[in-house]
Amino acid sequence: MRPLVGAKTQQLISRVFTPVSPVRWRAAQTRRSCGSSPNGEKPRPSMLRHLTSKIKATGPISVAEYMREVLTNPVTGYYVRNNMLGPDGDFITSPEISQIFGELLGVWILSEWMGGGRPKQLQLVELGPGKGSLASDVLRVFSQLRSVLGEASVSLHLVEVSPVLSRLQAQNLTGNYSQEAGAEDEPIYRRGETTTGLPVSWYRCLDDVPAGFSIFLAHEFFDALPIHKFQRTEKGWREVMVDIDPETPDRLRFVVTPSPTLASSTLVQADERRDHVEVCAEGGVIIQQLARRISEDGGAALIADYGHDGTKTDTFRGFKGHQLHDVLVSPGSADLTADVDFSYLRRMAAGGVVCLGPVTQRTFLKNMGIDTRLQVLLRNCADPSTRKQLISSYDMLTNPAKMGERFHFFSLLPAPLPVAGFSELSFS
Ligand code: SAH
């Protein structure tokens, strides 16, 4: 353990790191000031104290480290402690809005499994499954279309960092048929059987999921992964860090580093044209793992999230009680998120797989037959309030002004086999 630095070192740190000026980083200021900046709000002592001790000990921390600590610190992290999804939580997601969403994804999965040659084993792997609603809707489609799956053996694999949410997922998917692992360091920390009789396992990271033909789902997962932030300055690219505000010791502020950091030297593209960029290196690593698995074992990945194709600048924001929330206020009490840069994911996926999209959620769901599915459900439903709810959730998912154009779908699929003459002739 390092000793805490003294007041002199503190002053030095404050001097060498430049506070982010309103002119140089206007977007961040605007975004922060449009939050429901809860001035009277009490800070959460434990997370704030943890962060300020860390900064006092080692200096300002990167935005990526800040986000990782705030969201997934094993003791005080936002995801680790909370159930944040739904009308009473901080935000609501498409699978929570309508069962149709998960059902259409279930059909997509079956169609990719058929396209992959109907392998005998099908692993459904979900990253960040929230309450388990998406997996549950997908599995309902699997049992309704059991005859299509034939003899294939299906298993469910959930990658989830939050013990609170994993318990909720277990309850929703298995009823009481799941058990926690005896030892804390087991790669599978919980296992059970779904209500439809399929084996289900929980992991903390993707690395621990067994190899094999898999369909990977990641809905609103990549936006929760830590981002680095970089600012173009007269002296070149510099990294944005989080520091203690010297004027108010229990407040945090953004600063930019006086010289390049390892991250600013390696993560910003040489031909970058924007003045401010966010790079989710952790998301890049996960995409590379998915690409390798898909090219070696077959399968596909479907990633759905809000995002852009390498055009946006500052998108880092907080959500609390369905309102925007200042990312530096009361850390650990609100969700932190940043738009997914699909152009970065495509670059990191590289060869071995082909990338499709991003296409808007509206386009994807319409192509998957959401209008027909809605008509079928309406035809079988006489209750006026359920009908109203079906129509309004359809509107929420597809309306361009609501979730229809803010959310995008992106997919990784195995690259087609090389064709002799267009690549080198080889016999395998
Ligand atoms: N997919 C769900 C939940 C989205 S919220 C839905 O759309 O409703 C983000 C989810 O990712 C939560 O389940 C959260 O606990 C999980 N998560 C966040 N960071 C993670 C990480 N680094 N590793 C694994 N799971 C993570």
Side-chain angles (χ1 to χ4, degrees), residues 354-393:
V354 284
C355 299
L356 295 181
V359 297
T360 65
Q361 173 156 306
R362 177 183 171 81
T363 303
F364 185 90
L365 296 179
K366 290 243 175 203
N367 283 340
M368 288 303 302
I370 191 169
D371 294 288
T372 314
R373 181 69 188 135
L374 176 71
Q375 291 315 320
V376 171
L377 287 174
L378 286 176
R379 209 176 303 137
N380 295 325
C381 171
D383 174 44
S385 85
T386 314
R387 289 176 67 87
K388 208 168 141 201
Q389 203 253 326
L390 279 169
I391 293 167
S392 79
S393 54

Side-chain angles (χ1 to χ4, degrees), residues 66 91 134 148 179 284 297 323 338 354 365 367 381-382 413 416:
Y66 176 74
F91 59 100
L134 176 56
V148 176
Q179 251 191 338
D297 307 321
Q323 302 289 321
V354 284
L365 296 179
N367 283 340
C381 171
L413 297 163

Side-chain angles (χ1 to χ4, degrees), residues 257-327:
T257 54
S259 44
T261 58
L262 181 62
S264 70
S265 320
T266 53
L267 293 178
V268 183
Q269 291 278 100
D271 58 353
E272 182 56 64
R273 300 175 77 113
R274 289 167 287 175
D275 286 338
H276 186 93
V277 288
E278 297 171 338
V279 181
C280 180
E282 212 167 291
V285 171
I286 293 179
I287 278 290
Q288 285 175 336
Q289 291 175 343
L290 294 178
R292 185 182 43 76
R293 281 169 178 263
I294 291 168
S295 70
E296 286 173 7
D297 307 321
L302 189 61
I303 294 158
D305 228 307
Y306 37 72
H308 58 93
D309 220 359
T311 51
K312 286 197 183 171
T313 55
D314 172 41
T315 70
F316 187 35
R317 59 201 183 282
F319 279 102
K320 184 172 183 175
H322 300 263
Q323 302 289 321
L324 277 170
H325 179 88
D326 188 326
V327 289

Side-chain angles (χ1 to χ4, degrees), residues 71-72 79-80 82 84-85 91-96 101 126-134 159-162 165 169 203-205 218-226 282 286 304 335:
L71 294 182
T72 58
Y79 280 117
V80 173
N82 294 293
M84 69 299 294
L85 285 152
F91 59 100
I92 188 144
T93 59
S94 298
E96 300 301 325
F101 186 85
E126 188 178 356
L127 309 178
K131 286 184 173 178
S133 310
L134 176 56
V159 179
E160 174 57 73
V161 80
S162 162
L165 289 178
Q169 292 151 17
Y203 313 78
R204 287 179 195 86
C205 58
H219 185 266
E220 287 215 39
F221 169 76
F222 279 87
D223 71 274
L225 298 179
E282 212 167 291
I286 293 179
D335 184 36

Side-chain angles (χ1 to χ4, degrees), residues 177-198:
Y177 292 98
S178 85
Q179 251 191 338
E180 272 180 56
E184 283 212 340
D185 53 355
E186 298 268 335
I188 297 181
Y189 68 86
R190 178 187 288 279
R191 63 173 91 228
E193 193 177 291
T194 68
T195 45
T196 50
L198 304 179

Side-chain angles (χ1 to χ4, degrees), residues 47-60:
M47 175 57 79
L48 188 62
R49 207 179 321 121
H50 167 68
L51 291 166
T52 51
S53 315
K54 203 176 172 86
I55 296 171
K56 279 179 191 155
T58 57

